[in-house]
Amino acid sequence: MVSTMKIRQLTFRLLQVYADVVRTGSITATANRLHLTQPTVSQQLKRLREIVGEPIVRQEKGRIVPTEVGQALYQLSQDLLSRADVFSQYLEEYNRGGRGHFSIGLVNTAQYVLPRLLGPFSQANPQVDVTVEIGNRQQMLNRFERHEDDIYVFSHPPSDDDVLAAPFLSNPLVVVGPEKCHWANVKDLSMEALKDERFLLREPGSATRHTFDAWLYSAGIELTSTQQIASNEAIRLAVASNMGLAVLSRYVVADSPKGVQELTLTGFPLKSRWHFVVRRERRLPPAAYRFLSFAEGSLTQAFDEPEGSLAVAELLEALKGAR
Amino acid sequence: MVSTMKIRQLTFRLLQVYADVVRTGSITATANRLHLTQPTVSQQLKRLREIVGEPIVRQEKGRIVPTEVGQALYQLSQDLLSRADVFSQYLEEYNRGGRGHFSIGLVNTAQYVLPRLLGPFSQANPQVDVTVEIGNRQQMLNRFERHEDDIYVFSHPPSDDDVLAAPFLSNPLVVVGPEKCHWANVKDLSMEALKDERFLLREPGSATRHTFDAWLYSAGIELTSTQQIASNEAIRLAVASNMGLAVLSRYVVADSPKGVQELTLTGFPLKSRWHFVVRRERRLPPAAYRFLSFAEGSLTQAFDEPEGSLAVAELLEALKGAR
DNA sequence: AGACACCATAGGTATTTATCTATGACTGTA
DNA sequence: TACAGTCATAGATAAATACCTATGGTGTCT
């Protein structure tokens, strides 16, 4: 006898129509407002009544007024509809990229420059929450393989099939020595002259190392003494402690130049560039898309030597199709 | 491009299914739990995704996990479903009569006795809110005609076609005089002896008046002096002030006997009864039904001379059909 | 490497829904 | 009392929904 509401059949459409009927107090009026015919609205009400299992409106002096149950139902409708609406707005915001989350994976060196983009972006999009993953090249490649992040920053983009990469900033690699290094005063210094110095190098997988190695090879130079150190920071400190020289991203040095200085060398800085890397296949969260778009627009303000803002624009274009 | 959710097609059923999928992390599991097949659930998810316009789940290590949007949707689902559930519970409570509202219309005399039923009822059903309307017979008849209340209490039920009436309490009409009335000491007092006293009477429409008039008529007695006063209270006060005698419900006197006393008269008290009156056609609010049912059960405790508890039971039975 | 879960898709069907037009009943006002 | 307006009901239909069975792909675990 006491049957609860048949909630399975309840539609938001029904609630919409019902709420409007209660508001207007007229079936005909609602029909007009919602571009339906009067019998349609009548029938919707009937169906809703059946779902609820209880009369929800009655006629009183020509107006439609909700019964007691009807009033409760009206409140419910308002409540549910407005909540759904909030969600809908969230969705819109999400799609616009102004809200949501994305993650970006950086190789170590890039961590020195990305904040200049991420900072202003977060400022401008407080509702977007960004996860920044940092690791050496190999670690990032692993994450990339597992599709763990939305955007990556590499110097040498992996060559996967569906990879899209756009250079956005040049990453000059410079030779650094300790603060009071006598090489600093030598004119027309060349690498040849330094080849017997001890060089502190990143691990072979890293882009910095790879670029340097390749350059040495093409220049036909072989270093006599090297030492491998896993982090840029550690290398910088080691150089400051007179443990040797190193090749580092200029941004690493610029960031905290204490105890080290850049040496001016013929042929240096070595050219290298950071790329935004995304998978063509992956449906980028709108927030991630928005970030790339933001980055493209602010490269010139954020950096002295931006590079490839056009390439980023192209990447965005390529992604648009996949949305 | 940025299309909001197609809310019109959103069903609570879909949300139910979706919420369960998120909870179990498995489409198959949900299918089993909800007694559906796996493809059915798959398809529901797909439909929901189309409504939302955005992927809501993805597979991750064999488990189904919600996307960012999916998580928001899940929260929404929980929220909406639980709210609908609260309403459903309200409905149940309402149907059980333990919650809600009804109104009861009383003729004046009945106001002295109904509190003995309404009090305990409200105590037992704090969520039920009762409107008590009080007026003279004519006023109540008007309200009755306009279907303004759910239950009425009359001594003489109106004879409408779809009226259902059940006597529930005898309403003895007694002759009252002032506190130090010499008639009080007379043995075997008869109305005949009092016929030259001044009688203070209610208006002709009232049941008390009508019963008394009828009795006088059948006894062949004609009063020599009468005065019409519209309220029982006023009559009682007038009697206490030695303005005359009166015929009143014993309950009126019992309620506040100051300054008056009941006279023992042959043939008195006159018999009369209060009736619960409802319209057969009217769908009684469950709370009203519950009140009648409560009344039926507590007549014996509430009153010394209950009457017609059986008739009330019958009335309830008759109403059951119309529910 | 297979076997096994698990999910997606295709294809099918009975039911339900969302609408409409036409029409009849009721009601308040002129 | 007649008219105008409002609502309910009936009857019809195209579309959508809620399911199902069968089957094939894919990732997981042993």
Side-chain angles (χ1 to χ4, degrees):
Chain A
M1 193 108 209
V2 176
S3 62
T4 66
M5 179 172 58
K6 291 173 189 155
I7 197 177
R8 297 161 47 129
Q9 311 181 41
L10 194 52
T11 306
F12 279 80
R13 177 57 167 172
L14 282 180
L15 296 181
Q16 277 180 337
V17 173
Y18 174 65
D20 198 83
V21 169
V22 173
R23 262 181 249 118
T24 61
S26 153
I27 289 180
T28 305
T30 291
N32 293 332
R33 289 160 54 101
L34 305 187
H35 307 295
L36 298 169
T37 61
Q38 169 265 312
T40 299
V41 176
S42 275
Q43 217 219 104
Q44 301 281 53
L45 278 187
K46 189 177 175 186
R47 210 160 79 72
L48 187 54
R49 174 174 71 223
E50 278 156 13
I51 289 171
V52 172
E54 198 76 21
I56 52 179
V57 292
R58 65 166 175 279
Q59 242 170 305
E60 202 163 83
K61 296 213 218 96
R63 282 182 67 76
I64 301 287
V65 297
T67 62
E68 187 183 328
V69 170
Q71 282 177 26
L73 181 63
Y74 176 67
Q75 289 194 312
L76 181 73
S77 305
Q78 292 289 293
D79 193 17
L80 298 185
L81 288 170
S82 76
R83 274 162 205 281
D85 208 54
V86 167
F87 176 74
S88 207
Q89 281 167 20
Y90 156 81
L91 255 191
E92 236 173 89
E93 225 357 60
Y94 174 86
N95 275 320
R96 183 180 293 125
R99 185 160 188 164
H101 170 259
F102 71 94
S103 73
I104 181 166
L106 309 181
V107 289
N108 276 307
T109 41
Q111 76 185 282
Y112 295 94
V113 299
L114 255 290
R116 298 198 210 173
L117 293 174
L118 286 169
F121 177 77
S122 291
Q123 204 75 24
N125 301 276
Q127 306 257 49
V128 173
D129 115 64
V130 187
T131 302
V132 180
E133 299 287 344
I134 298 175
N136 63 34
R137 180 177 165 82
Q138 191 50 54
Q139 291 167 327
M140 274 307 122
L141 280 177
N142 289 342
R143 295 188 65 87
F144 177 82
E145 280 315 314
R146 295 195 210 104
H147 297 61
E148 293 190 311
D149 308 285
D150 301 303
I151 306 176
Y152 295 88
V153 174
F154 283 108
S155 284
H156 293 300
S159 54
D160 201 307
D161 231 14
D162 69 356
V163 78
L164 285 174
F168 66 96
L169 185 61
S170 79
N171 173 22
L173 303 181
V174 299
V175 178
V176 298
E179 204 158 28
K180 290 159 195 157
C181 177
H182 65 280
W183 293 117
N185 307 317
V186 179
K187 235 187 157 185
D188 291 332
L189 186 62
S190 77
M191 182 53 75
E192 190 63 34
L194 300 179
K195 75 177 195 325
D196 292 327
E197 287 282 330
R198 171 156 53 179
F199 270 80
L200 312 175
L201 302 176
R202 291 286 307 279
E203 68 279 8
S206 82
T208 306
R209 170 70 174 273
H210 180 262
T211 305
F212 186 38
D213 281 353
W215 182 85
L216 287 174
Y217 182 79
S218 69
I221 299 171
E222 203 159 316
L223 299 178
T224 56
S225 167
T226 69
Q227 178 170 350
Q228 183 172 324
I229 297 180
S231 103
N232 295 316
E233 255 341 78
I235 290 177
R236 193 177 56 72
L237 291 170
V239 170
S241 312
N242 281 302
M243 289 180 61
L245 305 181
V247 172
L248 289 175
S249 164
R250 179 179 279 159
Y251 285 104
V252 174
V253 186
D255 190 52
S256 49
K258 254 190 295 184
V260 298
Q261 63 176 311
E262 177 181 339
L263 303 182
T264 310
L265 231 72
T266 330
F268 279 72
L270 299 184
K271 285 200 73 171
S272 153
R273 300 186 298 178
W274 279 299
H275 300 74
F276 285 128
V277 176
V278 300
R279 312 194 86 110
R280 182 185 281 112
E281 161 267 340
R282 187 187 187 91
R283 233 187 76 92
L284 225 46
Y289 186 89
R290 190 181 175 91
F291 168 68
L292 289 178
S293 168
F294 176 91
E296 188 236 312
S298 29
L299 282 178
T300 47
Q301 286 111 63
F303 303 109
D304 297 337
E305 318 178 56
E307 187 169 337
S309 134
L310 215 139
V312 175
E314 271 170 33
L315 179 146
L316 288 171
E317 199 54 42
L319 280 174
K320 249 184 198 164
R323 291 186 89 182
Chain B
M1 194 105 208
V2 175
S3 63
T4 67
M5 179 171 58
K6 290 174 190 156
I7 197 177
R8 296 162 47 127
Q9 311 181 41
L10 194 53
T11 306
F12 279 80
R13 177 57 164 172
L14 283 180
L15 296 181
Q16 276 181 337
V17 172
Y18 175 65
D20 198 84
V21 169
V22 173
R23 260 181 250 118
T24 61
S26 154
I27 289 180
T28 305
T30 291
N32 293 333
R33 289 160 54 101
L34 304 188
H35 308 295
L36 298 169
T37 60
Q38 169 265 312
T40 298
V41 176
S42 275
Q43 216 214 117
Q44 303 280 52
L45 278 188
K46 189 177 175 186
R47 211 160 76 74
L48 187 55
R49 175 174 69 222
E50 277 157 11
I51 288 170
V52 172
E54 199 75 20
I56 52 180
V57 293
R58 64 167 176 278
Q59 240 170 306
E60 200 162 85
K61 295 212 221 98
R63 282 183 66 77
I64 301 286
V65 298
T67 61
E68 186 184 329
V69 169
Q71 283 178 25
L73 181 62
Y74 176 66
Q75 290 193 312
L76 180 73
S77 305
Q78 293 288 294
D79 193 17
L80 298 184
L81 288 171
S82 76
R83 275 161 206 280
D85 208 53
V86 167
F87 176 74
S88 207
Q89 282 168 20
Y90 156 81
L91 254 190
E92 237 173 88
E93 220 7 53
Y94 174 86
N95 275 320
R96 182 180 293 125
R99 186 160 187 166
H101 169 261
F102 73 94
S103 72
I104 182 167
L106 309 181
V107 289
N108 276 307
T109 43
Q111 76 184 283
Y112 294 94
V113 299
L114 253 290
R116 297 199 211 174
L117 293 174
L118 286 169
F121 176 77
S122 290
Q123 204 74 25
N125 300 275
Q127 306 256 50
V128 173
D129 117 63
V130 187
T131 302
V132 179
E133 298 288 345
I134 298 176
N136 65 32
R137 180 176 166 81
Q138 190 51 54
Q139 291 167 328
M140 274 307 124
L141 281 177
N142 288 342
R143 294 188 65 87
F144 177 82
E145 280 315 315
R146 294 195 212 105
H147 296 62
E148 294 191 310
D149 308 285
D150 300 302
I151 306 176
Y152 294 89
V153 173
F154 283 108
S155 284
H156 293 299
S159 54
D160 200 305
D161 230 14
D162 70 355
V163 78
L164 284 175
F168 66 96
L169 185 60
S170 79
N171 173 22
L173 302 181
V174 299
V175 177
V176 298
E179 205 158 27
K180 289 162 195 156
C181 178
H182 64 280
W183 292 117
N185 307 316
V186 179
K187 233 186 159 186
D188 292 331
L189 185 62
S190 77
M191 182 52 74
E192 189 63 33
L194 299 179
K195 77 177 192 324
D196 292 327
E197 287 282 330
R198 171 154 54 178
F199 269 80
L200 312 175
L201 301 176
R202 292 286 306 280
E203 69 280 7
S206 83
T208 305
R209 171 69 176 274
H210 179 262
T211 305
F212 186 39
D213 281 353
W215 183 85
L216 286 174
Y217 180 79
S218 69
I221 298 172
E222 201 159 318
L223 299 179
T224 55
S225 167
T226 67
Q227 178 171 350
Q228 182 173 322
I229 297 181
S231 105
N232 295 315
E233 255 341 79
I235 290 177
R236 194 178 56 70
L237 290 171
V239 169
S241 312
N242 280 304
M243 288 179 62
L245 306 181
V247 171
L248 290 175
S249 164
R250 180 179 277 160
Y251 284 102
V252 173
V253 186
D255 190 52
S256 50
K258 253 190 295 182
V260 299
Q261 63 176 313
E262 175 181 342
L263 303 180
T264 311
L265 233 71
T266 331
F268 276 74
L270 299 184
K271 287 199 72 171
S272 151
R273 301 184 298 177
W274 279 298
H275 300 74
F276 284 127
V277 176
V278 301
R279 312 194 83 110
R280 183 185 280 111
E281 162 267 340
R282 187 189 187 90
R283 234 188 75 93
L284 225 47
Y289 186 90
R290 189 181 176 91
F291 169 68
L292 289 176
S293 167
F294 176 91
E296 188 236 312
S298 28
L299 283 178
T300 48
Q301 287 112 63
F303 301 110
D304 296 336
E305 318 176 58
E307 187 170 336
S309 134
L310 216 138
V312 175
E314 271 170 31
L315 179 146
L316 288 172
E317 199 54 41
L319 280 174
K320 248 185 199 163
R323 292 187 89 180

